[in-house]
Amino acid sequence: MIITDVLCPFCGDLCDDIIVEVEGNKIIEVKEACETGMSKMMGHERIAAPMIRENGKLVKTTYETAITKAAEILTNSLRPLMYGWGSTTCEADKKGIELAEELGAIVDNTTSVCHAPSILALQDVGLPSCTLGQIKNRADLIIYWGSNQAEAHPRHMSKYTSFTKGFFTKEGRKGKYVMVFDIRKTTTAEVANEFVQILPGEDYRVLSALRAILAGAGDVVPFSVGGVPKGKLIEIVDRMKNSKFGVLFFGMGLTHSRGKPYNVANAISLVRDLNAHTKFAVIPMRGHYNVLGFNQVCTWSTGFAFAVDFARGQPWYNPGETSTVDVLNRGECDSALIVASDPAAHFPRKSVEHLARIPLIQIDPYASLTTELADVVLPAAIAGIEVEGTAYRMDGVPLRLRKLIEPVHLSDEEILSRILSKVREIRGD
Amino acid sequence: MELLITNGIVYDPINQISGEKVDIFIKDGKIVSGVKNPKTIDAGGRIVMPGGVDMHTHIAGGKMNVGRMLRPEDGRRGIESKKKLTRACTGYSVPNTFATGYRYAKMGYTTTFEPAMPPLLARHTHEEFRDIPLVDKGAIPLLDNHWLILEYVKSGDMDKLAAYIAWMMNATKGYGIKIVNAGGGEAWGWGKNVRNLDEMVPNFDVTPAEIIHGLAEANERLNLPHSIHIHCNNLGHPGNCDTTLATFDLVKDVTSNNRQVMHATHAQFHSYGGSTWADMYSKADAIASYVNSHDHVTVDPGQVMFGDTTTMTADGPMEHELHMMSKRKWTNKDVELETGSGIIPVFYSRKVSINTIQWAIGLELVLLIKSPWKTAITTDHPNGAPFTRYPEIISLLMSKKRREEALKGVHSAINKRAILSSIDRELNWADIAIMTRASPAKILGLDKHGKGHLGIGADADISIYDISPEEDDPRKIQSALSNAKYTIKGGEIVVKDGEIVAVPEGRTYWVNPEFDGDVTKAMLEDLAVKFKDYYSVSLANYPVQDAYVPHPIEIKTRCKNAS
């Protein structure tokens, strides 16, 4: 069976033009996807069954037993942490937030360690933005800043930016000027018109210089800023002002170098100021295919996008205090439920050490480093391959993930729903 | 379950009941003529009305959610703990979804319409609807800046225009046609705007006047329950009253089935005289006078109330102008081929002349429009103020004394550049029942589908307020309207003594117009090109799946003769 218009559940581009061939409940061919997406969709080794750690070893058990154990751990905790949600559906996110509210837990997603600075910057200065199709149809100046999407979002340039044609961009690549700002010449920079190399940690200064020149205060800008000569900076501002529709995409090079949210706020402010001269947009390059979906669900259901602490019975949001790494580094939480992410592989050592100390429940299709720390492991069906559901593309366009084959395991949503019922049962509600 | 409401003083304007003691019988969620074994509610001489209907309130979707994300400071303003039945609440002008449902129900409202759904993001609106409990909902898709619509209007292909709109209602699970700054959204794709009704939209060679007229004709041809719902061009500009009146005049020749052909929303923002902010003044009298002498237009005020709120609209260029003036944090979101939006926080101050005049204009409009059937009470939530300010607004409209008190504390510009102080009219309970129930239901075309009245067969959506009709203390009126004694939704008691006692999910109204198959086929060929070449998603993934509308009320319409 051939299935067309399939969504790829891998990166924030959420490509929806994949063609998949299924035979006997197995995906045998994937077309149009990038290599990473194809690899995920073709499938690889999965967790076979629910497991509980006994005497230091994970032992196979039933869902019923593992879910009961998970519910007991969470119910007996004073300060549970529920983290992850990078690669699952909004439907699972909703159930998870409901569970967090019931438990008085802290609920946080992978945003906490990727684009949290972007959300903090948004709160500070706003975000003039647009959907990716707007870029495809109009943009003649495309800027990637601290973002190497040739590796991280492999089809981004061919689907939405440099190598595509649109209504007002019929010339395609010829009519577009592509710039890359980064500290090293990336693969993305190799296919750009211009690469502007910035000294590590100097993004904020370069952005400030560009803003000063734009504001007509170029006289305060020194001879060279962040390794970029002043003449070049003036030229860049001219190019920005003279574009018909410009866009600035930024990635972790900006969100996680010195200055973090201040870098992003400065970049957004530059784009905002450019709108007094021409049309300009800014888009954060969100990583996982539905990391933004969690932010959306969390925002409409709690008022806040991530790092929400329900200990008071009401949402309390204070990133830096209620964000996962901070909570772990303070040794504060006494259990953790990790869904669809692998903090053990990505968190600072101190955070992982605390995760190792406390009872840990993992819900995931795949074994990871986090599995090595888990006390309860609940294998899940793969969203977008075995389960339908909603995902939000990096630009906020919501799409419905397809179910391509029958799952062997329960969905994240179903597992969370059963944990919630069990928690209520234990509490006698 | 059966219910009997007895001893209530009932206001049911659609059924010509105005403050009479009438028993109301409820069975299986509907009003019936009698019941056998009811639970009885003794209303004890209190006021009983159909459930409130808010016809224009930005409660759900991409824009509202970015508003929440932008303003954690607003989120912290309305925090309430989780309770046995209710989820935790946050927010004042940008409340979370749960708070939205609870707060409406506590005020006795049972139906709310989101008036600005970007079609590409329709799924988001419906996702949030699922998390807004208690109230019934509908969403009106933004269609006026859509490329295919601009092209059909330009070529005069009214058949395909209607076919496309019919398809869009299905694809978005939408309820009607929203127009926002016609043509201005497309121009904003290049950072530009259109300034008058005859200015060409860049690259599309079509004018706002042609778009508005074309959509009004298509609306009536498809027999949609609601008329076109328009946010006029030039919102918030001094002197925009001329544009507004010219917009009304544009659709004079369009005929409809026994209702308006244009609903002009948040008219307060469109009723300004003068040429700059320094000489801007109220032209509410001119707008009201037009509405009084014509039957094809209805308006709602979009009342401004003093204090902090969040403005959000599909009028992208307008929000950018506000940002350039106030320099406050600003978001913009252009949506490919279709529309855009912007958000900015605002503080309406009683010490600022412009804000004071804006506040006055909304009240003036409602008081000067003679027939309450031609208007409905709104704040364009959260643009003028959050919907939770309705009880205060109603108390101002019902009490000249309260208005006089309020006038004392505001900027003196009100004496020269507004007319509020010269208006003596005080609305009565019948007027309020019309403007908050019967009229918005009729304007939306929902009265034929059981909303806004208490006749046999109507939905048993009822509010009982702890006040008798004789009470004229405006503060007691405000207090009673803020916390319903009872709110009954679909025959179930959901609020008692101002507390939520049940949380059923609401339903979603959408319109499914039937249209000629051959024309639709030809239109779909044009649409396929748009998706192949210009959209960033595929056509197959665009329509909102049924899973997002778990409790649909589908209204089918039949098209009038093809042209």
Side-chain angles (χ1 to χ4, degrees):
Chain A
M1 183 179 49
I2 308 279
I3 309 173
T4 58
D5 303 298
V6 171
L7 280 80
C8 171
F10 188 72
C11 85
D13 275 339
L14 200 63
C15 298
D16 75 333
D17 58 350
I18 314 298
I19 301 163
V20 172
E21 190 173 354
V22 173
E23 210 177 272
N25 206 39
K26 192 170 167 22
I27 293 172
I28 58 165
E29 190 169 15
V30 175
K31 288 184 191 159
E32 303 294 331
C34 68
E35 276 184 45
T36 329
M38 194 188 304
S39 160
K40 173 161 182 184
M41 296 178 86
M42 292 297 288
H44 45 93
E45 202 179 335
R46 303 274 295 275
I47 300 172
M51 295 182 284
I52 291 182
R53 195 171 292 276
E54 286 173 12
N55 303 320
K57 283 206 167 139
L58 286 171
V59 180
K60 282 186 187 174
T61 182
T62 61
Y63 268 114
E64 179 60 26
T65 309
I67 284 170
T68 304
K69 179 76 180 164
E72 283 167 3
I73 290 171
L74 293 168
T75 314
N76 293 328
S77 304
L78 291 173
R79 196 134 173 80
L81 167 73
M82 295 171 55
Y83 173 83
W85 321 99
S87 301
T88 187
T89 61
C90 291
E91 288 74 6
D93 297 340
K94 278 171 77 163
K95 201 43 83 178
I97 291 164
E98 193 180 350
L99 175 61
E101 195 181 276
E102 180 75 33
L103 290 166
I106 293 168
V107 64
D108 192 14
N109 81 327
T110 47
T111 297
S112 208
V113 294
C114 62
H115 274 278
S118 310
I119 290 177
L120 298 181
L122 161 79
Q123 290 164 192
D124 196 10
V125 295
L127 191 81
S129 196
C130 64
T131 63
L132 293 168
Q134 189 81 336
I135 308 295
K136 169 184 159 115
N137 288 306
R138 296 183 202 254
D140 58 348
L141 176 61
I142 294 150
I143 297 171
Y144 290 104
W145 196 305
S147 157
N148 185 14
Q149 65 294 323
E151 308 280 350
H153 299 80
R155 296 181 74 209
H156 192 78
M157 289 188 286
S158 59
K159 271 183 74 85
Y160 309 120
T161 65
S162 319
F163 303 106
T164 183
K165 291 176 183 175
F167 192 71
F168 298 105
T169 53
K170 295 210 162 64
E171 285 192 300
R173 181 68 184 85
K174 261 197 299 183
K176 298 173 187 187
Y177 197 82
V178 182
M179 301 182 79
V180 171
F181 291 74
D182 217 316
I183 56 166
R184 67 179 76 83
K185 190 158 190 183
T186 59
T187 39
T188 308
E190 278 162 19
V191 291
N193 295 74
E194 190 173 352
F195 168 54
V196 181
Q197 190 157 15
I198 295 174
L199 292 172
E202 296 287 307
D203 303 74
Y204 186 90
R205 285 203 182 120
V206 174
L207 287 161
S208 296
L210 294 171
R211 288 184 64 200
I213 293 164
L214 181 66
D219 55 330
V220 303
V221 175
F223 177 68
S224 167
V225 181
V228 189
K230 183 172 177 178
K232 175 50 77 183
L233 292 168
I234 293 170
E235 190 189 309
I236 292 167
V237 170
D238 281 344
R239 188 177 291 285
M240 287 171 163
K241 279 166 73 175
N242 293 323
S243 66
K244 285 193 192 126
F245 189 117
V247 60
L248 191 156
F249 292 98
F250 65 91
M252 307 258 287
L254 202 57
T255 64
H256 275 72
S257 56
R258 193 176 69 173
K260 290 185 172 182
Y262 303 101
N263 293 339
V264 180
N266 221 3
I268 296 172
S269 300
L270 172 65
V271 170
R272 179 196 65 197
D273 297 347
L274 280 162
N275 275 283
H277 303 272
T278 183
K279 192 64 192 279
F280 231 97
V282 54
I283 300 181
M285 296 289 295
R286 302 302 303 265
H288 293 295
Y289 74 90
N290 195 30
V291 62
L292 178 59
F294 178 89
N295 297 137
Q296 298 282 8
V297 177
C298 197
T299 301
W300 82 59
S301 52
T302 74
F304 309 106
F306 69 105
V308 175
D309 181 359
F310 279 106
R312 295 161 175 83
Q314 45 187 228
W316 173 251
Y317 165 72
N318 195 23
E321 181 202 356
T322 58
S323 31
T324 297
V325 167
D326 305 278
V327 173
L328 288 171
N329 286 2
R330 291 198 303 271
E332 199 171 290
C333 50
D334 56 354
S335 72
L337 171 68
I338 309 295
V339 184
S341 80
D342 184 14
H346 298 101
F347 276 8
R349 186 190 171 98
K350 201 175 169 192
S351 312
V352 180
E353 281 173 357
H354 189 68
L355 276 178
R357 274 195 291 271
I358 58 176
L360 192 153
I361 304 148
Q362 183 191 30
I363 304 176
D364 208 297
Y366 311 104
S368 65
L369 265 184
T370 301
T371 315
E372 302 302 314
L373 308 181
D375 299 286
V376 179
V377 177
L378 288 151
I382 306 171
I385 293 173
E386 298 166 336
V387 189
E388 279 190 288
T390 315
Y392 284 73
R393 202 168 67 182
M394 64 164 73
D395 58 348
V397 172
L399 292 166
R400 187 156 185 86
L401 301 163
R402 307 280 179 105
K403 174 177 167 177
L404 308 172
I405 54 173
E406 286 301 322
V408 177
H409 298 309
L410 300 178
S411 69
D412 294 316
E413 184 191 5
E414 178 66 24
I415 294 169
L416 288 158
S417 185
R418 290 198 193 179
I419 294 176
L420 179 59
S421 301
K422 200 49 116 180
V423 165
R424 286 181 174 150
E425 191 187 308
I426 294 169
R427 291 181 162 187
D429 287 346
Chain B
M1 194 179 75
E2 294 183 336
L3 270 178
L4 163 63
I5 301 171
T6 186
N7 280 321
I9 308 299
V10 177
Y11 289 86
D12 180 12
I14 286 177
N15 295 301
Q16 290 89 42
I17 296 170
S18 184
E20 296 161 45
K21 204 170 254 191
V22 186
D23 285 348
I24 298 170
F25 306 99
I26 299 162
K27 191 181 174 184
D28 299 332
K30 302 279 182 193
I31 309 287
V32 294
S33 55
V35 287
K36 285 178 190 152
N37 271 316
K39 173 184 158 76
T40 301
I41 295 174
D42 185 347
R46 294 177 179 88
I47 289 176
V48 178
M49 294 183 185
V53 178
D54 195 340
M55 64 172 301
H56 189 105
T57 174
H58 300 275
I59 49 173
K63 198 158 62 260
M64 175 40 95
N65 220 31
V66 173
R68 297 180 187 114
M69 217 179 271
L70 179 72
R71 302 203 66 192
E73 72 279 13
D74 188 277
R76 293 187 178 106
R77 202 175 156 188
I79 290 182
E80 297 165 57
S81 289
K82 167 188 159 53
K83 294 189 186 119
K84 184 88 182 160
L85 281 175
T86 54
R87 302 284 298 266
C89 296
T90 57
Y92 169 69
S93 68
V94 287
N96 66 338
T97 48
F98 306 115
T100 303
Y102 306 149
R103 289 175 193 170
Y104 265 117
K106 283 183 185 182
M107 297 196 312
Y109 275 68
T110 48
T111 305
T112 55
F113 267 57
E114 159 63 54
M117 173 165 71
L120 180 60
L121 311 180
R123 215 170 268 100
H124 185 160
T125 306
H126 289 290
E127 274 221 282
E128 288 199 25
F129 275 1
R130 293 188 68 179
D131 274 348
I132 298 178
L134 292 157
V135 289
D136 286 341
K137 290 148 291 233
I140 311 181
L142 292 150
L143 296 178
D144 56 310
N145 283 287
H146 196 292
W147 289 356
L148 205 50
I149 284 179
L150 299 183
E151 287 168 14
Y152 288 152
V153 169
K154 186 195 167 192
S155 63
D157 200 334
M158 297 304 289
D159 289 341
K160 281 184 178 174
L161 179 67
Y164 179 56
I165 292 165
W167 184 85
M168 263 307 206
M169 294 303 129
N170 265 282
T172 63
K173 295 289 177 281
Y175 189 95
I177 299 175
K178 178 70 184 298
I179 300 173
V180 172
N181 184 18
E186 170 49 35
W188 180 238
W190 299 114
K192 299 185 169 70
N193 200 355
V194 288
R195 291 291 174 186
N196 67 63
L197 293 171
D198 297 318
E199 187 176 329
M200 286 288 179
V201 179
N203 306 303
F204 284 87
D205 298 330
V206 63
T207 66
E210 290 163 345
I211 300 169
I212 294 163
H213 195 268
L215 288 174
E217 280 192 344
N219 193 96
E220 299 316 320
R221 236 180 105 191
L222 290 167
N223 249 322
L224 302 185
H226 186 31
S227 65
I228 55 167
H229 190 119
I230 187 167
H231 155 143
C232 293
N233 295 70
N234 278 327
L235 182 144
H237 296 155
N240 64 9
C241 173
D242 295 343
T243 306
T244 309
L245 292 172
T247 307
F248 293 175
D249 249 9
L250 278 179
V251 294
K252 256 195 321 200
D253 63 325
V254 181
T255 51
S256 79
N257 275 345
N258 200 23
R259 58 144 168 73
Q260 80 284 354
V261 292
M262 170 184 280
H263 179 76
T265 191
H266 41 68
Q268 174 279 128
F269 291 109
H270 304 274
S271 303
Y272 303 161
S275 54
T276 66
W277 287 115
D279 66 0
M280 168 261 200
Y281 64 96
S282 167
K283 289 270 256 181
D285 49 347
I287 299 290
S289 153
Y290 189 102
V291 174
N292 286 336
S293 57
H294 296 79
D295 288 331
H296 69 283
V297 182
T298 53
V299 301
D300 66 87
Q303 175 65 33
V304 157
M305 294 296 276
F306 298 118
D308 183 86
T309 192
T310 311
T311 70
M312 52 182 67
T313 165
D315 195 341
M318 197 281 297
E319 290 285 353
H320 182 246
E321 280 173 34
L322 285 181
H323 164 69
M324 293 303 279
M325 278 196 293
S326 74
K327 300 293 178 199
R328 294 190 70 176
K329 55 186 178 183
W330 164 62
T331 75
N332 178 72
K333 180 71 170 282
D334 292 357
V335 178
E336 61 205 61
L337 289 85
E338 296 183 347
T339 179
S341 70
I343 306 172
I344 192 166
V346 66
F347 186 89
Y348 294 113
S349 167
R350 52 168 60 81
K351 291 183 174 176
V352 172
S353 60
I354 298 159
N355 296 159
T356 301
I357 296 162
Q358 290 177 313
W359 170 78
I361 292 174
L363 298 171
E364 289 167 6
L365 280 169
V366 176
L367 293 167
L368 292 173
I369 291 171
K370 287 178 191 150
S371 166
W373 295 97
K374 289 183 171 180
T375 187
I377 288 172
T378 65
T379 55
D380 184 19
H381 164 79
N383 285 293
F387 64 80
T388 42
R389 303 288 293 269
Y390 288 168
E392 190 182 347
I393 294 167
I394 292 167
S395 76
L396 284 162
L397 292 167
M398 291 182 78
S399 166
K400 166 114 174 141
K401 197 174 113 213
R402 182 147 205 206
R403 293 200 295 270
E404 281 170 349
E405 282 169 26
L407 280 164
K408 281 178 201 153
V410 304
H411 192 282
S412 61
I414 199 139
N415 301 320
K416 288 184 188 150
R417 287 149 64 188
I419 38 188
L420 184 62
S421 58
S422 67
I423 301 173
D424 294 327
R425 184 176 173 197
E426 292 184 324
L427 300 188
N428 57 36
W429 284 109
D431 294 325
I432 297 303
I434 295 170
M435 290 181 187
T436 58
R437 273 87 178 155
S439 170
K442 275 195 102 150
I443 293 171
L444 285 169
L446 283 173
D447 55 321
K448 296 180 194 74
H449 302 279
K451 295 297 184 193
H453 72 101
L454 300 174
I456 305 300
D459 288 352
D461 297 351
I462 301 167
S463 16
I464 305 177
Y465 295 111
D466 192 5
I467 196 162
S468 79
E470 292 79 38
E471 181 59 63
D472 63 357
D473 179 341
R475 282 182 175 75
K476 285 190 182 154
I477 290 172
Q478 180 180 336
S479 163
L481 293 175
S482 299
N483 293 291
K485 179 80 180 161
Y486 285 93
T487 304
I488 295 162
K489 169 69 181 52
E492 184 177 5
I493 298 170
V494 295
V495 172
K496 188 164 186 280
D497 298 322
E499 293 296 323
I500 306 287
V501 294
V503 279
E505 291 179 24
R507 299 174 300 177
T508 301
Y509 285 77
W510 71 282
V511 181
N512 189 1
E514 186 187 87
F515 199 78
D516 179 85
D518 290 336
V519 179
T520 301
K521 225 173 126 189
M523 177 279 294
L524 284 174
E525 284 171 21
D526 298 342
L527 185 62
V529 173
K530 292 280 179 282
F531 276 92
K532 186 176 141 292
D533 293 343
Y534 308 131
Y535 267 110
S536 64
V537 301
S538 74
L539 176 55
N541 289 318
Y542 186 86
V544 172
Q545 292 83 356
D546 291 343
Y548 294 93
V549 191
H551 309 293
I553 303 286
E554 178 183 341
I555 296 177
K556 289 188 175 166
T557 69
R558 256 170 198 286
C559 162
K560 288 179 196 161
N561 292 337
S563 56

